[in-house]
Amino acid sequence: MHPKVAISSEFFSSVLKLPKAQQEKAVKFIELFRQDPTSPGINYESIQSARDRNLRSVRIDQAYRAIVLAPERGDVYILLWADKHDDAYEWAGNKVLRINPENGVLQILEAQYIDEAQQLQQLTGQKTKPGLFDAIKDRYLVRLGVPEELMPLVRHVEIPVDVDDLKAKLPDEAYEALAMLADGVSLEEALSVYDVSLQDEPAQIDTHDFAGALDNPDSKRRFLLASDDEALQTMLDAPLEKWRVFLHPLQRKLVFRDWNGPVRVLGGAGTGKTVVAMHRAKWLAERALTDRETRILFTTYTKNLAIDIEQNLKHICAPEALRKIEVINLDAWVKRFMDKQGYPTNFAFDKRQKKQLWDNALVLKPDALDLPDSFFHEEWEKVIQPQNVNSLENYFKARRLGRGVQLNRTLKKAVWPVFENYRSGLDDAGLKETEDAYRDALALIQTKSIQLPYTGIIVDEGQDFGLNAFRLIRQLAPEQQNDLFIVGDAHQRIYGSKVVLGQCGIKIIGRSRKLRINYRTTEQIRHWAVSLLNGIAFDDLDNGVDEQTGYRSLMSGTEPIIQCFANAQMEAEFIVNSLKELTDQGLAKACIAVRRHADMERYRLALTESGIPFYQIDQNALDNTAQPGVRLATVHRVKGLEFDAMYVAGINEGIVPLAILDSDDPTIIRERQQRERSLLYVAITRAKGFCSISGFGKLSQFISSKPA
């Protein structure tokens, strides 16, 4: 049999750190190695200092070495690390590869932590306090990924906060599971998340079968089989963007399977929901290649997100599969569809036009009720449009839960002419709001029995869609296997209102999943951002509550920098001086995000005067990576993007939340403030390693009142 060859994700990262000449040699070596790891041109050398006798050294050039797992039993070879000779040997001396005896996953352990665990084992009899995980048997912890050699480290944890000390010592899957348990997730739920059995019988795992371990789906989070030409080339093209190849096992279970109906996937910022959605689209498209007519529709709320997603899909999809995926935001899809059907649609997005229509309608406002203009705007958005109210009779029946002003039938009759007049104004001007357009498109599909080519719909940022949008989405593909795949997070809702999928004909019972591990930001940034939302209840898109229990990051770093300056000039000087410490490459991975377009000018001016190049990411344009300089964008525009360094700037009182968003309805005020908090949460969680939050004069109340 041909040898089985694999490459670890850490190997790609280590190659990227090599000098350019050695990187090129390493890539050539990968090709030689994957073709025939037993080639005479590859000289395997024993490593005397290695704790794992299966580790070997191979030569990249005179000064650089690669570390390879080459077990004495079997025909398996795994590239693990590349570095200078002495550094590579030092790396190998501290690594031990083991096959977990309960779940069959291939794990890389640090020898120093094995020694620490052995020392703790000798102190077990001297423990005086109960351990956090005392009630859980060793066998179940091992099934959740805890290596047997490191069990004493886990048994000595006494309080939940100490679990974070294990982050660097345990394999990722073990830390993830323990963090969930420490946050209050039950053992049964944790085991079910990882599809692990609760039975007491030991698993039948051959701990010497490395070939079998590589086939384990959970091993594929860190090992890529070199026989996968497409995945290997993708990894070589972009070794830092591991999401293109190395999916988390929970992500893999969502992507690579048939679902018997609609699926909803929740997850906090940075948990890879969009990554899952893109790989799901790719998987579905590849299965549909034999049918010329069918398509996969990938839709999201805003045009810029659709542009970003389409660009990323080009990196993971072959041309044939890409042609099967139609990426478009829902508004654009509706306009194109209606135009094609002979019903041209003009969305009423012009604020001046809309204000004039409302001014005309409000002439009929009953003076005796003393209702502010904001009441009518909010009643239209919260009651009339979502419930498709088109007559006074329908208005009498409409639900008004959460509205601050109570209306009986007499009062409803008194205010209805305002809404009727506004609707007439829209019709006379040939304008439609998005809710009208969704409703019209749905009615057209149903009345004409229009058959669309979509066998599956992927919905990203589902929390930003409303009831009419989801009613339309439900109609775009027939109810069948793999029809709808919806990802979202109400904590990041910055556009739409609460929606209940079941009320839109989308039944997700038994097909709801959750991602909990943040792969983008450090734990410090994640924790700080989450604290902005403490005490606020967020929905799960289907009439339940979504809590962030077990939501953690695998990376650690510094706390966000929070500063309030005396004036705008001092804030701009701080940002400029910080950016000057970055290289040209670093500048392109940094972003200044502001709340309003009007705020950009002072930062553009400061960057220009300092000679720092910048590139403004516009609302409907792609972030062109070929353009040099720090990115400049609104906090709305950075949604879906990520940067090594984030400068969330100008976060002043009156700007976040915007003073103009005030209302006379306490319910509306709470909702808008919650949305503004979510907007800030979104901006902060774009940061991967560094985050600065700043303002001048007086910081936003959200920052000054945030708990420590």
Side-chain angles (χ1 to χ4, degrees):
M1 291 183 61
H2 193 276
K4 178 167 283 191
V5 180
I7 307 172
S8 75
S9 63
E10 288 80 5
F11 180 81
F12 288 108
S13 297
S14 66
V15 167
L16 198 66
K17 297 177 182 178
L18 300 180
K20 187 69 174 179
Q22 278 69 36
Q23 283 186 35
E24 295 173 356
K25 292 179 181 178
V27 170
K28 291 180 180 178
F29 174 79
I30 290 173
E31 187 58 30
L32 171 65
F33 185 82
R34 67 188 291 259
Q35 292 298 329
D36 183 8
T38 63
S39 168
I42 302 176
N43 299 312
Y44 291 93
E45 298 178 5
S46 298
I47 305 174
Q48 298 303 317
S49 60
R51 290 273 289 269
D52 190 328
R53 307 317 301 172
N54 290 321
L55 297 185
R56 304 284 187 272
S57 166
V58 294
R59 181 176 296 182
I60 294 177
D61 66 11
Q62 287 295 108
Y64 285 80
R65 298 290 185 272
I67 304 301
V68 179
L69 177 81
E72 295 180 359
R73 172 182 155 184
D75 235 359
V76 172
Y77 299 84
I78 306 176
L79 282 174
L80 298 170
W81 192 257
D83 215 329
K84 288 182 179 179
H85 181 283
D86 292 350
D87 293 333
Y89 274 58
E90 182 180 352
W91 185 93
N94 192 40
K95 296 295 183 294
V96 176
L97 272 74
R98 292 286 185 267
I99 297 174
N100 186 297
E102 287 289 339
N103 62 23
V105 177
L106 182 56
Q107 300 176 312
I108 302 176
L109 312 182
E110 301 273 353
Q112 68 188 77
Y113 300 130
I114 296 177
D115 294 340
E116 181 182 337
Q118 291 174 348
Q119 294 171 6
L120 279 177
Q121 182 66 35
Q122 298 172 6
L123 303 175
T124 299
Q126 303 176 25
K127 281 187 64 179
T128 58
K129 296 181 180 179
L132 183 62
F133 304 109
D134 280 357
I136 304 176
K137 294 180 180 180
D138 281 4
R139 178 167 296 155
Y140 296 140
L141 292 176
V142 176
R143 286 177 186 175
L144 287 171
V146 176
E148 291 179 317
E149 297 93 330
L150 301 181
M151 188 63 70
L153 298 177
V154 176
R155 290 300 179 195
H156 274 72
V157 171
E158 297 173 351
I159 57 177
V161 70
D162 290 343
V163 172
D164 286 344
D165 294 336
L166 299 177
K167 188 183 299 185
K169 302 177 182 181
L170 298 176
D172 288 347
E173 60 269 25
Y175 169 74
E176 292 170 11
L178 294 179
M180 289 173 58
L181 295 170
D183 280 356
V185 174
S186 68
L187 173 62
E188 290 75 13
E189 183 179 352
L191 290 170
S192 67
V193 165
Y194 292 94
D195 290 339
V196 178
S197 171
L198 193 57
Q199 296 180 352
D200 223 16
E201 294 79 8
Q204 303 298 317
I205 301 292
D206 183 351
T207 57
H208 298 286
D209 182 10
F210 286 92
L214 286 173
D215 286 332
N216 187 305
D218 287 3
S219 296
K220 293 177 182 178
R221 72 187 293 165
R222 61 174 67 94
F223 297 104
L224 169 67
L225 290 176
S227 57
D228 189 339
D229 292 345
E230 181 184 340
L232 178 61
Q233 190 58 52
T234 298
M235 202 65 236
L236 291 174
D237 290 342
L240 275 184
E241 297 179 13
K242 296 183 180 181
W243 60 267
R244 296 183 180 181
V245 173
F246 293 103
L247 293 179
H248 185 282
L250 299 185
Q251 295 174 331
R252 299 183 68 86
K253 291 168 186 174
L254 291 170
V255 171
F256 305 119
R257 61 165 289 182
D258 289 312
W259 292 94
N260 293 320
V263 179
R264 179 202 63 191
V265 179
L266 301 176
T271 54
K273 298 182 297 301
T274 302
V275 168
V276 166
M278 288 190 292
H279 280 275
R280 179 68 177 174
K282 175 179 182 286
W283 188 76
L284 291 175
E286 289 172 344
R287 289 161 60 93
L289 286 177
T290 56
D291 188 340
R292 286 187 176 184
E293 303 304 320
T294 61
R295 295 286 185 274
I296 307 300
L297 177 63
F298 195 128
T299 190
T300 188
Y301 188 76
T302 63
K303 183 177 180 180
N304 58 270
L305 276 174
I307 293 172
D308 296 333
I309 288 167
E310 185 171 29
Q311 184 67 20
N312 283 323
L313 279 170
K314 292 178 181 178
H315 295 307
I316 66 171
C317 294
E320 298 79 12
L322 193 62
R323 283 193 288 270
K324 282 286 183 179
I325 305 172
E326 181 182 328
V327 185
I328 188 171
N329 65 302
L330 192 60
D331 289 0
W333 186 93
V334 168
K335 179 166 178 52
R336 187 188 66 187
F337 171 77
M338 296 297 286
D339 289 349
K340 187 176 180 180
Q341 295 298 320
Y343 298 90
T345 300
N346 185 6
F347 285 28
F349 288 145
D350 189 300
K351 293 182 180 180
R352 288 177 296 180
Q353 279 183 299
K354 206 164 188 177
K355 182 180 183 304
Q356 184 61 55
L357 291 172
W358 271 113
D359 288 344
N360 294 339
L362 288 167
V363 171
L364 300 181
K365 182 175 69 171
D367 295 334
L369 295 184
D370 194 29
L371 292 171
D373 292 352
S374 62
F375 164 82
F376 293 91
H377 293 292
E378 293 156 6
E379 187 78 356
W380 178 266
E381 294 175 1
K382 298 298 181 183
V383 178
I384 307 296
Q385 283 288 51
Q387 297 182 51
N388 303 328
V389 176
N390 57 12
S391 70
L392 180 58
E393 285 301 314
N394 287 342
Y395 191 35
F396 286 152
K397 301 173 185 177
R399 299 180 303 276
R400 301 185 66 256
L401 295 177
R403 296 292 285 133
V405 177
Q406 300 300 312
L407 298 180
N408 56 28
R409 288 175 65 91
T410 301
L411 295 178
K412 283 187 175 181
K413 185 176 181 180
V415 300
W416 176 251
V418 174
F419 305 125
E420 200 169 38
N421 196 17
Y422 178 65
R423 169 68 67 198
S424 296
L426 284 171
D427 293 342
D428 291 344
L431 300 173
K432 289 186 182 295
E433 293 189 339
T434 53
E435 295 293 316
D436 300 323
Y438 294 156
R439 188 165 48 245
D440 291 351
L442 174 60
L444 198 57
I445 292 170
Q446 292 175 331
T447 56
K448 289 193 171 185
S449 299
I450 297 174
Q451 298 297 312
L452 297 163
Y454 310 120
T455 57
I457 313 290
I458 309 292
V459 180
D460 190 33
E461 304 290 358
Q463 75 280 347
D464 286 326
F465 289 101
L467 290 172
N468 284 318
F470 273 117
R471 287 172 184 143
L472 172 61
I473 288 168
R474 173 62 283 178
Q475 195 68 32
L476 297 183
E479 294 189 39
Q480 60 184 11
Q481 192 179 63
N482 301 325
D483 52 355
L484 300 180
F485 193 89
I486 302 164
V487 303
D489 175 24
H491 300 84
Q492 299 183 70
R493 180 179 288 128
I494 61 176
Y495 293 108
S497 299
K498 179 181 176 181
V499 69
V500 178
L501 292 174
Q503 295 177 0
C504 307
I506 300 173
K507 308 300 182 183
I508 59 169
I509 297 175
R511 294 182 298 276
S512 177
R513 298 295 186 269
K514 189 164 187 176
L515 300 172
R516 289 183 169 91
I517 302 303
N518 183 318
Y519 302 96
R520 178 191 302 134
T521 68
T522 64
E523 176 62 14
Q524 289 77 9
I525 295 173
R526 184 209 65 82
H527 180 268
W528 205 96
V530 167
S531 68
L532 287 167
L533 309 178
N534 284 348
I536 302 174
F538 288 87
D539 65 276
D540 66 352
L541 313 188
D542 202 44
N543 214 29
V545 176
D546 180 21
E547 297 178 346
Q548 293 191 319
T549 304
Y551 175 41
R552 297 286 186 102
S553 173
L554 296 179
M555 298 170 289
S556 187
T558 59
E559 295 285 341
I561 298 173
I562 318 297
Q563 295 186 89
C564 184
F565 297 88
N567 53 56
Q569 182 179 350
M570 292 179 67
E571 184 204 28
E573 287 176 355
F574 160 75
I575 294 174
V576 164
N577 290 334
S578 180
L579 290 171
K580 284 181 177 179
E581 297 178 5
L582 302 178
T583 63
D584 289 343
Q585 186 176 9
L587 283 175
K589 298 175 182 178
C591 178
I592 302 172
V594 298
R595 175 64 180 85
R596 307 173 303 178
H597 280 281
D599 298 327
M600 285 188 182
E601 184 57 34
R602 62 173 171 267
Y603 303 101
R604 276 199 297 258
L605 181 61
L607 294 170
T608 301
E609 291 178 346
S610 302
I612 296 177
F614 64 90
Y615 173 69
Q616 183 171 320
I617 311 176
D618 293 322
Q619 183 176 358
N620 296 320
L622 185 69
D623 177 12
N624 186 351
T625 55
Q627 289 286 343
V630 61
R631 272 43 187 161
L632 186 60
T634 65
V635 288
H636 283 88
R637 179 59 186 91
V638 296
K639 191 172 188 179
L641 303 178
E642 58 183 38
F643 301 93
D644 289 347
M646 276 294 296
Y647 297 84
V648 187
I651 309 302
N652 305 332
E653 188 66 25
I655 302 300
V656 180
L658 279 178
I660 62 172
L661 296 180
D662 286 343
S663 169
D664 294 297
D665 187 334
T667 302
I668 297 294
I669 292 173
R670 286 195 299 272
E671 179 183 302
R672 287 175 176 172
Q673 287 193 340
Q674 179 174 318
R675 190 177 297 180
E676 290 283 298
R677 283 184 179 272
S678 292
L679 189 57
L680 195 54
Y681 168 80
V682 167
I684 292 170
T685 53
R686 302 309 97 190
K688 295 167 69 174
F690 172 85
C691 185
S692 164
I693 305 163
S694 62
F696 53 89
K698 185 178 181 181
L699 276 179
S700 164
Q701 58 181 290
F702 296 162
I703 307 299
S704 58
S705 63
K706 190 199 74 65

